[in-house]
Amino acid sequence: MKVCSGCGEELQSEDPGKAGYVPAHRMDEPGVLCRRCYRIIHYQEIAPAAVPPERLRGVLARAKQERALVVQVVDILDWTGTRIPDLNDVARDRQWLVVHKIDLLPRETNYDRVRRWFERQLGREGFRVERVYLASAHKGIGISGLLADLNRVDGAVYFMGAANTGKSSLLNALMGAAEISSDRPLTTSRVPGTTLNAVTIDRGEGRKWVDTPGITAGYRVVDRLCPTCLRAVVPVQPIRPRVYSLETGQSIWLGGLARLDVLEGDRQPFVCFLSNRVPIHRTNVLRAQPFFEKHAGKDLVPPCERCLAEVTPVARTEWKLEPGEKVDLAVAGLGWVSARGRGARVALFVPEGVETELRPALV
């Protein structure tokens, strides 16, 4: 069986409309890419493709059977949407956590404080993790330290996690640092589900690294967006926190994907941490819904008109924020709004089924 060197999909020459297609005359080329990967790499086309659930189950079962070290990769800007507690069962007591894309945090961020936040949060949530790493494949941050520790591991290492956390980018960076020769790098893009099957990097002497398909649970905003909206929501540059001073009766829209209402509270700052390309609009509670109905999918984007039905913010969660308590109101697959401890009662509106969370402030 021949597989695409970029995404791991089994190659076939019969149906151009299915995953893994490659023209027959190229089938025997070394390091051949399927048409989808070729277009992602050379034309920046974003081509979503579904990973069959049974394939994911098979990969998880193999990792568990091999008693592999599981390296869970999460997105620094989306802990709420990319953590996978179920990997505790797969990894048993052999799990490391890589907090990826830390270059996207504001430039003045204290990384030591971020690391301590994750260590505390893992304990609160019952994760069995041996080590925590902060890394950025794009900037090369943390790669050498992670590689040094991986080089001491015998047997299999499976890189796992939610779709779009950058597992393939991380592995490409590790292979480059380790000077591992490869016909082609693993395919990467901003679309969730770029890797379609397990891709094994043989390191010799019974050791291997395995890139795995991303797990898509459907409770993130990004899981429901078209490629155009994804480009706006998934950050590629360090985020610039945006501060809005709000009081009772005022609201902010995060694009047209989420809305925060202040129901009670003195005027105070709310700091928004999300992609710089998602606009924020201030309004008031009484005008917020009519404003959405008039502008959503047009001036209030993302979402575009095509995505609007999938991500209309209709689910409401209300929280009472205590004075002195610095917290984040996080939306899976979008980002978070930080409250700075003056106390308030707020309501957060998100699309039905999208996960939200009130947590201690990360930054």
Side-chain angles (χ1 to χ4, degrees):
M1 180 182 73
K2 294 204 68 174
V3 301
C4 173
S5 63
C7 69
E9 182 67 18
E10 182 177 354
L11 295 175
Q12 53 90 16
S13 299
E14 291 74 36
D15 189 343
K18 291 184 178 179
Y21 176 78
V22 64
H25 67 275
R26 295 188 54 235
M27 182 67 77
D28 295 325
E29 294 178 7
V32 65
L33 293 170
C34 69
R35 174 179 288 183
R36 175 175 174 270
C37 284
Y38 185 88
R39 288 178 172 173
I40 289 173
I41 292 170
H42 294 284
Y43 302 111
Q44 290 73 56
E45 288 187 6
I46 296 182
V51 179
E54 62 273 13
R55 181 177 295 172
L56 277 173
R57 287 194 293 269
V59 171
L60 294 171
R62 288 200 301 275
K64 188 172 183 178
Q65 183 179 19
E66 295 178 21
R67 298 192 62 83
L69 169 67
V70 171
V71 176
Q72 182 173 174
V73 183
V74 298
D75 187 332
I76 182 65
L77 297 184
D78 192 20
W79 169 250
T80 298
T82 61
R83 63 190 176 201
I84 309 291
D86 290 347
L87 290 184
N88 276 347
D89 180 57
V90 177
R92 296 176 180 150
D93 293 320
R94 298 195 69 202
Q95 183 176 190
W96 297 356
L97 184 78
V98 175
V99 182
H100 197 211
K101 306 182 186 180
I102 62 166
D103 59 298
L104 298 178
L105 288 175
R107 300 184 192 279
E108 65 274 12
T109 302
N110 183 314
Y111 288 163
D112 287 336
R113 290 182 181 175
V114 171
R115 185 192 306 277
R116 291 195 295 272
W117 186 93
F118 276 96
E119 290 170 347
R120 290 192 298 269
Q121 201 68 14
L122 289 166
R124 293 187 190 105
E125 298 185 27
F127 278 82
R128 298 193 301 272
V129 172
E130 295 178 301
R131 303 180 185 183
V132 177
Y133 300 84
L134 306 184
S136 164
H138 178 60
K139 294 293 186 181
I141 301 169
I143 298 301
S144 60
L146 176 58
L147 176 61
D149 289 345
L150 286 169
N151 283 337
R152 301 185 186 98
V153 177
D154 293 325
V157 181
Y158 279 66
F159 290 77
M160 294 184 164
N164 213 39
T165 56
K167 296 183 299 297
S168 298
S169 298
L170 181 66
L171 264 165
N172 282 337
L174 288 166
M175 287 193 292
E179 299 182 347
I180 298 173
S181 60
S182 176
D183 292 321
R184 293 188 186 275
L186 302 170
T187 302
T188 64
S189 80
R190 277 183 280 177
V191 65
T194 300
T195 301
L196 300 179
N197 207 340
V199 181
T200 300
I201 298 102
D202 187 354
R203 302 208 61 200
E205 300 179 351
R207 298 186 301 158
K208 64 180 180 181
W209 293 344
V210 183
D211 189 18
T212 64
I215 299 168
T216 302
Y219 49 70
R220 300 181 301 170
V221 169
V222 293
D223 296 333
R224 308 181 189 182
L225 296 177
C226 71
T228 300
C229 290
L230 274 171
R231 290 189 181 97
V233 172
V234 178
V236 293
Q237 299 292 333
I239 58 173
R240 299 187 302 271
R242 285 170 278 176
V243 183
Y244 288 81
S245 184
L246 304 175
E247 62 186 2
T248 300
Q250 293 188 316
S251 302
I252 50 173
W253 278 103
L254 310 180
L257 298 167
R259 182 180 109 214
L260 177 68
D261 292 352
V262 179
L263 306 178
E264 294 178 7
D266 295 334
R267 179 171 290 274
Q268 59 188 288
F270 290 85
V271 188
C272 303
F273 294 82
L274 63 158
S275 169
N276 303 328
R277 296 185 63 189
V278 175
I280 299 174
H281 297 270
R282 190 204 314 253
T283 180
N284 64 53
V285 171
L286 296 179
R287 294 180 54 199
Q289 189 59 30
F291 180 82
F292 175 83
E293 292 169 0
K294 180 178 180 180
H295 297 286
K298 301 167 187 171
D299 301 323
L300 193 61
V301 291
C304 65
E305 290 185 284
R306 181 169 51 160
C307 293
L308 187 56
E310 291 293 322
V311 289
T312 298
V314 294
R316 181 181 188 272
T317 303
E318 184 175 317
W319 285 297
K320 181 173 174 53
L321 312 181
E322 299 296 336
E325 183 182 40
K326 296 182 179 180
V327 295
D328 295 336
L329 295 86
V331 179
L334 180 61
W336 69 88
V337 178
S338 181
R340 297 308 172 107
R342 297 188 185 176
R345 187 166 62 89
V346 300
L348 184 63
F349 292 80
V350 299
E352 191 70 51
V354 167
E355 188 169 327
T356 61
E357 178 180 31
L358 182 68
R359 68 188 192 196
L362 170 61
V363 177

